[in-house]
Amino acid sequence: MAELHEECGVFGVYVPQRQNLGSLTYYGLFALQHRGQESCGIVVNDDGLFTVHKDLGLLTDVFDREELDKFPQGTISVGHVRYGTTGGTNRANTQPIVINHMKGKMALAHNGNLSNALALRTKLELGGALFHGTSDTEIIAYIVAQQRLKTPSIEQAVSNAMDFLEGAYSVVLMSAAKLIALRDPNGFRPLCMGKLPDGGIVFASESCALAAVGARFARDVEPGEIITVDETGIRSDRSHCGTRSRTMCIFEYIYFARPDSVLDGVGVHEARKRAGRILAKRHPVEADLVVGVPDSGLDAALGYSEESGIPFGQGFLKNRYVGRTFISPGQDNRVDLVRQKLSPIVSEVRGKRIVLIDDSIVRGTTSGQIVGLLREAGAKEIHMRISAPPFRNPCYYGTDIDSREHLIACRHSVPEIARIIGTDTLGYLPMEDLKELIGCSDYCDACFSGNYPTEIPESFEKDHFEAPLSRRKPKGERK
Ligand code: SF4
């Protein structure tokens, strides 16, 4: 149960005949809700007329049947769920972003983070650009609109814009007549394409959203690829493919993505089980029960159990109703949030030696509380195993992995962390075994290794665009 937030989820659909795309997009986004819970939005395009509804909150907060019925029928739609990693949580930063430019209209939804956002935006603002919000997505929209003035088509404008962008961006973009999906040349964030039974085309951050709307998985959008769909068919521009090495975020497999998704040909559930199997080999221990911390520790716990022969058990019940709107206990230390989310099943764990599997330890606070719950429930021994290496570096590509001063592994050795969180033993997935999870070495592991696949920004505060230009000084690398 990582103390981390996912980034965002995007969804786009093109159909040959007008139909109720508001609902279809809603259901696609619903399957991606785990990727962002701060805000959400849908834009439906009916022959160039864009109808937008977006707001802060979960899909169930922002949309009801009445709201969905207000969308007209259409042929193209894009949608977004957001957790903001650049720009604050406010209505101006909700997506999709809709802009009117000299050559028409555009709606755009983005997952990722531009690592050169500060330099780009400062340059644009010094040239007179105005921005409504403070997210880096507006920068992408602005540059595409600028390039559209010089190019014969929106897809050519997108291709030109990609020359300026650094970092992570999986984007769905809609003009009056076209749906375009693009993925950065590193391929940090996932993006896939599916086909609807009526010939419609769907793009989504994860394949689980294709299944949710009855679409058949067709293929992944390749890193650097631009796919355009319009009434003439589907076209792929691969001119940016292969310009960078592929560096898909390995933490998508460990924690962010849904276990039933397949990303770049690798099943998330299978990758997590492999992590569990590796942990069983690298950090064996005599125990009575393997318990996974719900939800993202469960698959790795199964793998550990299968490899070690130690039975798998349901050690915790997760309260499914603790969501974004739950009133957090905050400073009231008599009740903690973890206690509201997780409840140990006493009959399963009492008197037993437990192998406890989780996906990560960030600050250590949550892990300590989970271990405390098991101790209270009567566990005799607790041996914690983590299905990722220790976090030692911040992420600049669309997640909120923290500055170094907050990462427990930056300040303490593994035995010290074990003592702090109260486990008998602690073992992490070794760095050298990460490649076994997905069967290749084409991934980003910078938050573990410090090897960043792009230049890292000189400043990376989530709210750095909230400050006026004169006070927006580079603050140096995050500590
Ligand atoms: S730094 Fe970590 S979380 Fe960020 S993209 Fe790389 S692997 Fe993923």
Side-chain angles (χ1 to χ4, degrees):
M1 195 171 70
E3 306 144 68
L4 299 170
H5 290 97
E6 300 86 344
E7 342 72 28
C8 295
V10 299
F11 186 88
V13 54
Y14 181 101
V15 290
Q17 304 290 337
R18 289 174 77 244
Q19 56 183 267
N20 183 358
L21 291 186
S23 290
L24 189 137
T25 305
Y26 173 85
Y27 293 119
L29 290 177
F30 203 72
L32 299 173
Q33 185 78 85
H34 60 286
R35 296 185 70 85
Q37 296 96 43
E38 282 186 359
S39 67
C40 57
I42 295 172
V43 186
V44 173
N45 176 351
D46 179 19
D47 202 19
L49 190 71
F50 286 16
T51 304
V52 189
H53 185 69
K54 54 183 185 171
D55 209 338
L56 301 176
L58 298 167
L59 282 151
T60 46
D61 301 328
V62 174
F63 294 98
D64 55 19
R65 175 44 60 197
E66 198 183 331
E67 203 58 61
L68 286 175
D69 287 344
K70 286 183 193 164
F71 283 113
Q73 294 207 328
T75 52
I76 319 178
S77 173
V78 291
H80 191 260
V81 289
R82 177 172 193 263
Y83 172 76
T85 46
T86 299
T89 306
N90 56 52
R91 284 196 171 79
N93 286 336
T94 55
Q95 295 189 37
I97 283 176
V98 179
I99 63 166
N100 294 298
H101 56 99
M102 281 279 283
K103 293 201 176 170
K105 255 182 190 297
M106 179 167 68
L108 184 147
H110 166 215
N111 171 207
N113 247 129
L114 298 182
S115 50
N116 63 341
L118 182 64
L120 283 176
R121 178 151 167 165
T122 303
K123 191 168 170 210
L124 291 170
E125 285 182 322
L126 287 170
L130 299 173
F131 291 93
H132 293 288
T134 53
S135 80
D136 55 351
T137 308
E138 252 190 288
I139 298 170
I140 302 176
Y142 195 98
I143 295 176
V144 172
Q146 263 189 339
Q147 293 302 315
R148 183 69 184 91
L149 293 173
K150 309 172 193 165
T151 52
S153 68
I154 182 77
E155 56 267 41
Q156 187 57 52
V158 167
S159 179
N160 288 10
M162 284 173 71
D163 292 336
F164 296 89
L165 310 178
E166 289 278 345
Y169 53 93
S170 281
V171 172
V172 290
L173 183 157
M174 146 177 105
S175 69
K178 294 174 183 172
L179 175 66
I180 297 173
L182 57 142
R183 192 173 172 201
D184 66 75
N186 291 93
F188 281 105
R189 299 287 152 220
L191 189 63
C192 63
M193 181 170 86
K195 288 194 175 150
L196 289 163
D198 64 359
I201 297 295
V202 179
F203 295 101
S205 291
E206 291 184 36
S207 58
C208 63
L210 304 181
V213 299
R216 188 172 43 81
F217 175 84
R219 67 180 180 87
D220 293 291
V221 178
E222 289 298 310
E225 188 178 11
I226 303 164
I227 301 180
T228 305
V229 190
D230 63 14
E231 62 181 7
T232 65
I234 305 173
R235 293 182 298 284
S236 166
D237 171 353
R238 293 175 182 258
S239 56
H240 292 269
C241 295
T243 55
R244 301 283 173 89
S245 45
R246 292 176 76 120
T247 52
M248 167 72 135
C249 167
I250 194 74
F251 208 55
E252 287 278 354
Y253 295 96
I254 295 166
Y255 171 67
F256 289 130
R258 239 171 65 163
D260 55 335
S261 286
V262 178
L263 313 179
D264 284 355
V266 178
V268 174
H269 169 72
E270 288 74 21
R272 288 183 190 166
K273 269 181 76 171
R274 278 194 283 278
R277 285 182 172 280
I278 295 165
L279 283 172
K281 287 186 211 156
R282 299 289 192 182
H283 301 290
V285 65
E286 284 197 13
D288 305 308
L289 198 69
V290 181
V291 165
V293 177
D295 290 314
S296 50
L298 295 176
D299 309 84
L302 262 178
Y304 195 104
S305 169
E306 285 178 7
E307 184 66 33
S308 65
I310 302 169
F312 172 85
Q314 191 189 352
F316 290 102
L317 186 82
K318 182 176 174 184
N319 186 338
R320 312 256 158 215
Y321 305 101
V322 177
R324 193 194 61 87
T325 48
F326 178 74
I327 301 162
S328 171
Q331 298 306 310
D332 185 349
N333 56 16
R334 288 164 303 175
V335 234
D336 59 60
L337 186 58
V338 172
R339 202 177 279 277
Q340 306 307 309
K341 285 184 182 169
L342 291 182
S343 180
I345 299 176
V346 176
S347 58
E348 274 286 282
V349 302
R350 188 168 47 207
K352 293 197 178 133
R353 298 167 298 170
I354 306 285
V355 181
L356 178 64
I357 312 278
D358 205 351
D359 51 73
S360 55
I361 302 176
V362 185
R363 296 177 181 222
T365 322
T366 302
S367 303
Q369 287 166 329
I370 293 170
V371 170
L373 288 177
L374 280 184
R375 293 259 185 239
E376 277 175 33
K380 198 160 86 183
E381 293 174 17
I382 301 170
H383 303 277
M384 194 155 193
R385 301 292 179 263
I386 303 297
S387 57
F391 280 128
R392 293 208 166 92
N393 306 280
C395 173
Y396 301 106
Y397 309 118
T399 78
D400 69 343
I401 295 171
D402 222 332
S403 55
R404 291 192 178 97
E405 63 188 301
H406 295 131
L407 298 173
I408 193 168
C410 287
R411 291 176 286 115
H412 298 282
S413 66
V414 173
E416 283 171 351
I417 297 170
R419 209 162 39 249
I420 291 166
I421 64 176
T423 53
D424 294 279
T425 65
L426 171 65
Y428 286 90
L429 190 91
M431 276 296 298
E432 62 271 22
D433 288 331
L434 271 178
K435 57 182 175 301
E436 304 299 327
L437 268 54
I438 60 170
C440 70
S441 306
D442 300 338
Y443 53 81
C444 172
D445 60 11
C447 48
F448 310 119
S449 65
N451 298 325
Y452 291 95
T454 68
E455 275 190 32
I456 55 172
E458 46 190 7
S459 166
F460 208 85
E461 303 303 317
K462 177 178 173 177
D463 57 354
H464 57 195
F465 296 136
E466 315 283 347
L469 207 54
S470 56
R471 278 193 269 129
R472 204 186 298 156
K473 295 197 181 92
K475 292 175 180 153
E477 188 204 340
R478 274 174 156 194
K479 279 187 258 165

